Amino acid sequence: LKNNDMRKFYLLIVNLITGLSLYANPIALPTIEISELYFEESGKWKLELGYYEVNQNTLTIDSIFLFSTTDTIKLPTYEFLGSTGIMVITEDSLHSDFQINRFADTIKIVSYSMEEPFEDILIFGNLPGASIDYPRQGQSISKYGSFVKDKSPTIGFSNDTLGICGTIKGVIYDKYSVPVESKIFRLDNYFE
């Protein structure tokens, strides 16, 4: 091979190695997720958001938008303490009105990092696509894998399984994939 061809070959190899390395080791961008929603007796709401992979020096959140069925708001700039944590937003902590319907709403959080959006959504109540019913008085909707009702809200702290409540509906199948009928089953809480 000639010198010019060798240079092109080396350049191709270097570009290939660099491209494959970037593709094989993607950078995890910071994200913000809905962690828990709670309504006080007065009807005012508290929304807990969990943030992950935030690095104040290199990878941080550029902006955060909160949506409900009726309102949209850009959240004020928050100081993130550590790469993972929790922040609580209350109805009274915002500079403008933001309504969340206690009995049925769609809440979406969209955060931007390096111009890339990340969104998390909670649909509850009697709405199309709802993953859970509305919380009763004293309950919250919290994320523990998926959204569950919690009768011991932990706003400001990590979610746990102590107050998870609800009804399990479904069909139980035997090892041959035949539905089991007329049997009584007891489901134990593995975490207790």
Side-chain angles (χ1 to χ4, degrees):
L1 293 173
K2 295 181 182 179
N3 279 344
N4 198 20
D5 290 338
M6 283 300 281
R7 284 186 191 138
K8 288 180 183 178
F9 178 74
Y10 286 134
L11 184 60
L12 175 68
I13 294 297
V14 167
N15 286 337
L16 185 62
I17 290 172
T18 303
L20 289 175
S21 296
L22 289 175
Y23 183 73
N25 299 313
I27 297 171
L29 292 177
T31 59
I32 295 183
E33 296 180 1
I34 298 168
S35 180
E36 191 167 10
L37 173 64
Y38 176 72
F39 290 92
E40 297 173 345
E41 285 185 32
S42 64
K44 292 189 176 192
W45 54 264
K46 292 182 179 182
L47 182 65
E48 179 184 88
L49 302 174
Y51 59 87
Y52 309 93
E53 305 295 334
V54 174
N55 182 326
Q56 289 292 78
N57 298 324
T58 56
L59 294 173
T60 190
I61 303 289
D62 302 326
S63 57
I64 307 166
F65 292 88
L66 183 61
F67 301 85
S68 72
T69 304
T70 57
D71 292 320
T72 301
I73 191 169
K74 181 179 180 184
L75 297 180
T77 304
Y78 283 90
E79 182 177 334
F80 299 99
L81 304 172
S83 63
T84 301
I86 295 170
M87 61 181 164
V88 177
I89 300 167
T90 65
E91 190 169 344
D92 296 331
S93 69
L94 300 174
H95 298 296
S96 58
D97 287 340
F98 185 83
Q99 299 296 317
I100 298 177
N101 185 331
R102 185 189 193 305
F103 300 104
D105 213 331
T106 299
I107 303 169
K108 181 166 65 170
I109 186 91
V110 179
S111 57
Y112 289 87
S113 178
M114 298 176 63
E115 298 181 11
E116 290 294 322
F118 178 83
E119 67 181 53
D120 192 28
I121 191 165
L122 164 61
I123 305 172
F124 67 94
N126 190 16
L127 291 175
S131 60
I132 194 164
D133 196 13
Y134 71 91
R136 303 308 192 257
Q137 192 61 49
Q139 294 179 341
S140 68
I141 297 174
S142 65
K143 186 180 280 185
Y144 198 84
S146 59
F147 287 108
V148 295
K149 285 191 185 172
D150 190 344
K151 62 182 178 183
S152 61
T154 57
I155 297 289
F157 300 96
S158 297
N159 295 340
D160 58 33
T161 61
L162 296 178
I164 291 178
C165 58
T167 304
I168 298 175
K169 294 180 182 178
V171 178
I172 297 179
Y173 297 91
D174 65 14
K175 65 181 180 180
Y176 303 108
S177 298
V178 177
V180 177
E181 296 180 24
S182 304
K183 298 287 181 184
I184 297 173
F185 294 94
R186 179 175 166 218
L187 300 174
D188 289 327
N189 186 348
Y190 175 79
F191 296 104
E192 287 185 3

